[in-house]
Amino acid sequence: RAEVDGVSVRFVKDDILHSTIGEAFDLVFDRGCFHVIEPAQRSEYARAVAALVRPGGHLFLKCFSVKQPGSLGPHRLAPADINSVFSDLFAVKSIIETVFQGTLNPLPLALFCVLERRK
């Protein structure tokens, strides 16, 4: 779609806890990585992703919500968890309740978070 719209987009795949990327970006999008990180490694994740986001840039984060019933699958997170992990490095701009689109019925409950890298 970017090509059709004449927009330049560069997608980069990496292992966030063992990153080999030596540059920073205006936008990092995490759709389902953070919520599989073990709780003991969440602050390590926050530091690693902060190194990849330019000051003033954004992290878009989508993760399972604590409102998701059951215990199978990724860790569930509450807005307070997001604030606790990220607030030293990012300004939490918004956290909204949403779902993960896909084939599951009902769709899994999620949080969509917009975080701005502190300067």
Side-chain angles (χ1 to χ4, degrees), residues 40-103:
Q41 293 181 300
R42 288 179 182 162
S43 60
E44 182 181 349
Y45 169 95
R47 286 189 304 274
V49 78
L52 297 174
V53 179
R54 287 187 183 100
H58 291 86
L59 169 63
F60 291 172
L61 174 68
K62 193 167 188 181
C63 59
F64 260 41
S65 169
V66 291
K67 294 182 179 180
Q68 173 61 31
S71 59
L72 291 177
H75 299 286
R76 278 89 167 131
L77 294 124
D81 298 319
I82 302 302
N83 280 296
S84 174
V85 171
F86 292 98
S87 63
D88 287 346
L89 300 166
F90 292 86
V92 179
K93 297 305 215 176
S94 67
I95 301 175
I96 61 169
E97 298 282 342
T98 187
V99 296
F100 274 103
Q101 296 293 332
T103 59

Side-chain angles (χ1 to χ4, degrees), residues 16 22 25 32 36 40 59 63 95 111:
I16 191 62
F25 300 87
V36 298
L59 169 63
C63 59
I95 301 175
L111 299 176

Side-chain angles (χ1 to χ4, degrees), residues 10-32:
R10 182 170 154 234
F11 294 94
V12 179
K13 181 179 166 183
D14 190 38
D15 177 344
I16 191 62
L17 295 181
H18 302 96
S19 182
T20 59
I21 298 174
E23 62 184 296
F25 300 87
D26 294 324
L27 172 68
V28 171
F29 179 53
D30 174 343
R31 185 192 182 276

